């Protein structure tokens, strides 16, 4: 029994580290998971191009689905992920991998109708918390990747507070460094809770682009990132922010407005990408 699914990456509107509430939007870059189930117990994982990477998250996702929906013919298996999304870059690679793995496992079981899409995302969040790759649970990131569009969530209760379909062009700059969410300075982020609550109010009012710019300034200060990439973009784009706990930045707006910002960001180390938002979420491949 085999299943395959693809899940989009995401950018940040509101980082949930300050207040437990977050917001994210899906972008048109993908992680693919292929799951092969067997009657033998035990799950092994592989991440394409990263033989030393931690595979506990994707393995745990398969295990959780099998615990709920497996049987004698499906007690274990193998999972392999391939990704266009750089790991530990702030673009929600872990959430995308978890979502793709959960849906691929359900597809292999012929059980995709047994869980709502939101609950598939919650299962991946539960696995992420269990293996310690997230602080907040990242339901904002997981819901945006699973459902598509932009979502606002309460990550303490895993409630979906809002979801909208958006049609934005997106510019991404990913420096060569990595930043793991679980290593972020949570106490320092909590110091900017008043700004985070302002961002939340803007997001719940539908002012997502303004919200992400305020988020970017606040969290660059809290997490020690330079604000130059934000300043280079602000005069041209509708919104710009540090994505997650970095190091990537995302900007949104009309493509013509993003192109001169790309020229600035191209001069920096790392990679830039012009893409779009994604509205369909995670899909069976």
């Amino acid at each position: 029994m085999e299943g395959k699914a693809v899940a989009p990456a995401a950018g940040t509107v509101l980082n949930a580290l300050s207040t437990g509430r977050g917001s994210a939007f899906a972008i048109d870059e993908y992680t693919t998971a292929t799951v092969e189930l067997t009657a033998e117990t035990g799950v092994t994982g592989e991440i394409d191009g990263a033989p030393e990477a931690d595979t506990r998250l994707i393995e745990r996702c398969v295990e959780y689905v099998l615990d709920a929906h497996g049987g004698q013919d499906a007690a274990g298996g193998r999972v392999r992920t391939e990704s266009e999304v750089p790991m530990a870059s702030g673009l929600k690679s872990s959430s995308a991998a978890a979502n793709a793995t959960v849906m691929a496992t359900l597809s292999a079981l012929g059980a995709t109708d047994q869980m709502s899409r939101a609950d598939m995302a919650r299962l991946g969040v539960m696995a992420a918390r269990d293996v310690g790759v997230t602080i907040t649970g990242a339901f904002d990131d997981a819901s945006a990747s699973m459902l598509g569009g932009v979502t606002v969530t309460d990550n303490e209760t895993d409630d979906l507070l809002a979801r909208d379909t958006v049609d934005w062009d997106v510019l991404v700059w990913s420096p060569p460094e990595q930043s793991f969410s679980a290593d972020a300075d949570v106490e320092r982020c909590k110091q900017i809770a008043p700004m985070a609550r302002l961002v939340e109010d803007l997001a719940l009012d539908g002012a997502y682009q303004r919200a992400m710019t305020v988020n970017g300034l606040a969290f660059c200060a809290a997490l020690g990132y330079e604000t130059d990439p934000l300043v280079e973009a602000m005069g041209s784009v509708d919104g710009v922010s540090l994505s997650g706990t970095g190091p990537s930045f995302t900007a949104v707006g009309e493509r013509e407005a993003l192109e001169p910002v790309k020229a600035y960001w191209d001069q920096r180390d790392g990679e830039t990408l012009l893409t779009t938002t994604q509205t369909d979420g995670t899909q069976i491949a």
Side-chain angles (χ1 to χ4, degrees), residues 9-284:
T12 295
V13 174
L14 168 61
N15 190 314
L17 284 177
S18 286
T19 65
R21 292 195 168 193
S23 178
F25 60 94
I27 62 176
D28 197 30
E29 296 293 313
Y30 296 90
T31 294
T32 302
T34 304
V35 174
E36 181 182 355
L37 301 179
T38 67
E40 299 178 1
T41 58
V43 177
T44 58
E46 177 188 356
I47 298 174
D48 181 59
E52 303 302 320
D54 188 347
T55 57
R56 292 177 301 157
L57 173 60
I58 56 176
E59 291 165 356
R60 193 62 49 86
C61 286
V62 176
E63 292 167 357
Y64 279 175
V65 175
L66 290 178
D67 285 347
H69 301 288
Q72 290 183 345
D73 294 334
R78 294 175 288 277
V79 54
R80 184 176 187 269
T81 61
E82 305 168 68
S83 188
E84 301 170 343
V85 186
M87 294 174 62
S89 65
L91 298 174
K92 328 307 183 188
S93 60
S94 294
S95 292
N99 284 345
T101 300
V102 169
M103 188 173 284
T105 308
L106 288 166
S107 177
L109 292 168
T112 52
D113 60 345
Q114 298 299 305
M115 296 182 72
S116 71
R117 292 169 65 84
D119 282 342
M120 292 182 200
R122 290 185 179 100
L123 189 149
V125 166
M126 183 171 66
R129 288 187 180 123
D130 193 24
V131 300
V133 299
T134 177
I135 295 171
T136 68
F139 185 54
D140 50 343
D141 305 339
S143 62
S145 173
M146 179 61 76
L147 303 175
V150 58
T151 61
V152 185
T153 63
D154 186 328
N155 285 10
E156 294 180 351
T157 60
D158 292 343
D159 285 331
L160 182 65
L161 304 178
R163 177 184 177 270
D164 279 331
T165 298
V166 294
D167 183 14
W168 303 333
D169 288 302
V170 182
L171 175 64
V172 180
W173 170 50
S174 295
E177 299 82 18
Q178 290 184 317
S179 176
F180 292 91
S181 298
D183 296 333
D185 188 338
V186 178
E187 292 307 312
R188 186 168 170 84
C189 290
K190 288 181 177 179
Q191 296 297 314
I192 60 167
M195 296 300 293
R197 285 190 284 269
L198 170 60
V199 176
E200 179 188 342
D201 289 343
L202 289 168
L204 290 173
D205 284 342
Y208 299 112
Q209 292 113 318
R210 288 175 60 203
M212 66 186 291
T213 301
V214 178
N215 178 87
L217 288 168
F219 278 91
C220 278
L223 295 170
Y225 288 98
E226 62 173 320
T227 58
D228 286 357
L230 302 177
V231 175
E232 290 166 355
M234 275 184 202
S236 303
V237 305
D238 296 329
V240 58
S241 184
L242 180 72
S243 195
T245 57
S248 293
F249 287 75
T250 57
V252 301
E254 297 296 329
R255 183 163 293 251
E256 301 79 42
L258 295 173
E259 286 173 348
V261 179
K262 184 177 185 297
Y264 280 117
W265 287 2
D266 279 341
Q267 299 175 41
R268 298 176 173 274
D269 292 339
E271 298 182 359
T272 57
L273 170 72
L274 267 172
T275 183
T276 64
T277 49
Q278 197 264 22
T279 59
D280 296 327
T282 303
Q283 301 289 321
I284 294 171

